[in-house]
Amino acid sequence: MKSRGKGLLFAGLGASLWGSAGVTGQVLMDNYHLPATALSVWRLILSGLLLLGFDYLLHRESLLRPWKDRADALRLFVFAVFGMMGTQYFYFRAIQYSNAPTGTILQYLMSILLIFYTAFEERRLPRGMEISCAILAMAGTFLVVTGGDWHAVKISQAALFWGILSALAEAVYVVEPIPLMKRYRPSLLVGWGMLAGGVALIPFMDAPITAGVVSFSSLMVFLLCVLFGTVVPFLLFLMSVAEISPGEAGILGAMEPLSSLVLSLLFLTVSFSGMQITGVLVIVAAVVLVSSGK
């Protein structure tokens, strides 16, 4: 498979798996009363430890290599705190001051930021197709998460502030580690990013880290959230930007709400509305257009 094809596949599959994190996370919060911030801390720390352990067992090399170079350590710190942790924390803060649909739409402004970043890096204006795909993907995301109900979107100044920060954090997550990818393995970078990001989030917790119902079933759901909703998709998405532009990867991130909606339909007895089906088709159209490379 050509490198561009792999990059598109990694980005689309990674975003699709991210959708499973929303479903399993909702189960943990609704059925087992695990607070959102505690879920984020445990999810990031355990995922980071698993990735670092996997990297060491596979390569038997020092895990501290990225921290020994001052410039690399600074970039990794920014990636972990402002990218990885910021993506989690700012998103939930946006939801706290509004609702989940509004937080999702605001965070997906990331795709617009990445398109302009890519154009700036390549010293050109954004192409018409890039802008069209981003607008299509955002419109589809809006329809999927709101069902076309404008009253479901309530934006206060606080929600707008945290939502824009969440979009910036998502963009930092995609862009910041690109130079590091040339020198370090994705498992090493994502592992440290998750572990350091999870630890950095602990002071912002609004509930005890031990909150929630602990049982065999809750642990199984949590492991699904960690493995298939966190570790694998974060790796795939980070690997994708080594093969395609950050703007393309950001647009393909629209597969996340599509995947979340389908999984919710299958496992959370959620039904499709006509507007949501329209949103799904719009997202698919955006993905097809960006994948064509035209």
Side-chain angles (χ1 to χ4, degrees):
M1 186 183 296
K2 295 181 180 180
S3 60
R4 175 176 164 79
K6 289 193 297 184
L8 294 170
L9 176 63
F10 290 160
L13 183 58
S16 298
L17 288 174
W18 261 331
S20 69
V23 174
T24 52
Q26 182 177 339
V27 170
L28 289 168
M29 289 186 285
D30 292 349
N31 297 357
Y32 300 102
H33 311 294
L34 182 62
T37 317
L39 170 60
S40 298
V41 169
W42 281 113
R43 175 188 175 194
L44 286 173
I45 290 178
L46 182 57
S47 299
L49 290 174
L50 286 173
L51 276 171
L52 290 175
F54 169 79
D55 186 89
Y56 180 77
L57 290 175
L58 194 62
H59 300 282
R60 296 291 181 178
E61 295 178 1
S62 172
L63 297 177
L64 299 176
R65 286 195 308 120
W67 298 105
K68 293 180 179 179
D69 181 277
R70 181 175 298 179
D72 289 349
L74 178 60
R75 187 175 289 273
L76 182 55
F77 174 81
V78 172
F79 167 62
V81 175
F82 297 100
M84 192 73 73
M85 185 272 280
T87 297
Q88 297 284 323
Y89 179 63
F90 298 152
Y91 173 65
F92 286 120
R93 290 283 282 180
I95 292 176
Q96 178 183 344
Y97 288 105
S98 58
N99 51 45
T102 304
T104 302
I105 292 168
L106 289 172
Q107 189 177 60
Y108 198 69
L109 290 172
M110 168 268 298
S111 62
I112 300 294
L113 297 174
L114 290 178
I115 283 176
F116 282 98
Y117 171 82
T118 300
F120 175 78
E121 282 288 291
E122 297 178 0
R123 301 179 185 277
R124 60 172 174 80
L125 293 174
R127 300 186 181 99
M129 181 59 72
E130 292 174 328
I131 295 176
S132 298
C133 288
I135 293 174
L136 275 176
M138 289 184 63
T141 300
F142 172 80
L143 292 175
V144 166
V145 300
T146 68
D149 181 7
W150 289 93
H151 299 290
V153 181
K154 301 176 182 178
I155 301 179
S156 65
Q157 289 184 349
L160 184 62
F161 173 75
W162 290 109
I164 291 175
L165 282 183
S166 73
L168 287 170
E170 188 89 359
V172 170
Y173 164 77
V174 175
V175 171
E176 189 64 21
I178 291 177
L180 297 176
M181 292 281 291
K182 300 175 182 178
R183 294 188 290 279
Y184 306 105
R185 295 177 296 276
S187 55
L188 193 61
L189 296 177
V190 179
W192 276 118
M194 288 182 171
L195 180 58
V199 171
L201 186 56
I202 291 176
F204 299 97
M205 294 185 63
D206 52 5
I209 198 170
T210 55
V213 177
V214 179
S215 65
F216 177 78
S217 58
S218 66
L219 289 176
M220 291 299 100
V221 175
F222 178 71
L223 287 177
L224 286 175
C225 181
V226 167
L227 294 176
F228 296 103
T230 309
V231 174
V232 176
F234 269 92
L235 269 176
L236 287 172
F237 207 73
L238 196 58
M239 290 166 62
S240 73
V241 296
E243 310 293 348
I244 60 177
S245 74
E248 290 174 318
I251 293 170
L252 286 168
M255 294 297 291
E256 179 183 355
L258 171 60
S259 168
S260 179
L261 185 63
V262 172
L263 291 172
S264 296
L265 174 68
L266 294 175
F267 299 106
L268 298 179
T269 64
V270 175
S271 60
F272 282 96
S273 69
M275 284 294 185
Q276 286 176 310
I277 293 175
T278 302
V280 168
L281 296 177
V282 170
I283 290 173
V284 170
V287 170
V288 170
L289 284 173
V290 75
S291 300
S292 69
K294 296 179 180 179

